[in-house]
């Protein structure tokens, strides 16, 4: 890897690329945040790291409070996802950075999943879960993919969190299951994302369900989350795949989609 390989491919400012630069401080990404969160843009940019911003989502006085306005959180994760996908295309397909393309993709996603009508609806009720049949997509070579999911029980307020890490061949690298308390399913998903972000890996891609939408490609993490809640696991870490995950991993590898 040369020194230039460490620079951000989206802004050409000779800035070292890390997660915080890519998602928050890069002018490319800032143009997208400004497009969708014009009135909240200054507040977003006050955070020095992406993780510090995520940590505020559970604060009652935060405008990005996950309980009061999960629509915002859904849109934020969607934007982060498309920024990362665009960055990967620039690196591996040698495409030219185009923030307008990302804005178009986010708007299409919002329209496709009716997010523009969910801001008020989420304050009234949680939508029924829909399942999308999508095969598991491996990360590019030398990257890891972290699938996360949360299994929430309304009665006990317990949430099982499942995190499974795999390489570009679909092989199991590491998994974790744990139980925490959460006030609702949206907070449970936030716990899962926060836990997955602190592992310290540099070249990773996250995969998770969307609010109200279950993805078939996330079934391994879903199974791990449910097992964690039912078995009261507290931070269990596996460097070898638990037996309960093997059928899902085998299925994902046999139906591997190369990106």
């Amino acid at each position: 890897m040369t020194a230039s390989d460490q620079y951000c491919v989206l802004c050409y400012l000779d800035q070292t690329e890390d997660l915080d630069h890519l998602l928050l401080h890069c002018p490319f990404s800032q143009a997208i945040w400004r497009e969708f969160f014009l009135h909240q843009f200054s507040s977003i940019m006050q955070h020095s790291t992406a993780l510090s911003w995520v940590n505020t989502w559970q604060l009652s006085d935060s405008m990005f409070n996950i309980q009061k306005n999960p629509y915002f959180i859904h849109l934020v994760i969607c934007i982060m996802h498309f920024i990362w996908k665009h960055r990967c295309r620039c690196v591996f397909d040698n495409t030219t950075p185009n923030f307008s393309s990302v804005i178009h993709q986010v708007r299409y996603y919002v329209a496709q999943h009716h997010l523009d009508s969910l801001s008020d609806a989420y304050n009234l009720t949680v939508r029924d879960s829909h399942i999308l049949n999508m095969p598991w997509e491996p990360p590019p070579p030398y990257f890891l993919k972290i699938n996360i999911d949360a299994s929430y029980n309304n009665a006990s307020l317990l949430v099982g969190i499942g995190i499974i890490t795999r390489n570009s061949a679909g092989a199991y690298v590491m998994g974790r299951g744990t139980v925490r308390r959460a006030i609702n399913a949206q907070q449970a998903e936030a716990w899962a994302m926060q836990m997955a972000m602190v592992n310290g890996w540099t070249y990773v891609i996250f995969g998770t369900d969307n609010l109200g939408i279950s993805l078939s490609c996330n079934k391994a993490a879903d199974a791990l989350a449910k097992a964690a809640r039912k078995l009261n696991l507290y931070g269990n870490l596996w460097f070898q795949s638990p037996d309960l995950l093997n059928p899902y991993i085998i299925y994902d590898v046999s139906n591997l989609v190369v990106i």
Side-chain angles (χ1 to χ4, degrees), residues 25-117:
H25 307 308
C26 178
F28 179 98
S29 301
Q30 289 179 349
I32 300 169
W33 292 120
R34 189 180 289 109
E35 176 70 21
F36 290 96
F37 293 107
L38 178 62
H39 300 297
Q40 298 85 9
F41 179 75
S42 296
S43 174
I44 296 173
M45 292 303 116
Q46 289 178 358
H47 298 283
S48 59
T49 68
L51 183 58
S52 68
W53 183 24
V54 171
N55 285 335
T56 67
W57 294 354
Q58 299 171 60
L59 301 178
S60 59
D61 59 347
S62 173
M63 66 180 65
F64 286 86
N65 180 273
I66 197 166
Q67 182 180 8
K68 296 178 181 178
N69 204 339
Y71 159 76
F72 273 9
I73 307 303
H74 192 159
L75 184 57
V76 166
I77 298 300
C78 173
I79 292 172
M80 289 181 174
H81 169 77
F82 282 113
I83 289 174
W84 176 256
K85 293 283 284 187
H86 193 80
R87 178 264 181 203
C88 289
R89 281 193 291 271
C90 291
V91 171
F92 300 106
D93 298 335
N94 200 30
T95 59
T96 302
N98 184 345
F99 69 85
S100 296
S101 173
V102 177
I103 291 173
H104 174 76
Q105 289 176 314
V106 173
R107 284 177 174 167
Y108 179 79
Y109 180 94
V110 168
Q112 186 180 32
H113 297 288
H114 308 289
L115 295 190
D116 49 354
S117 65

Side-chain angles (χ1 to χ4, degrees), residues 2-15:
T2 64
S4 61
D5 292 330
Q6 302 176 21
Y7 293 140
C8 177
V9 298
L10 299 181
C11 63
Y12 300 113
L13 296 179
D14 290 340
Q15 294 291 319

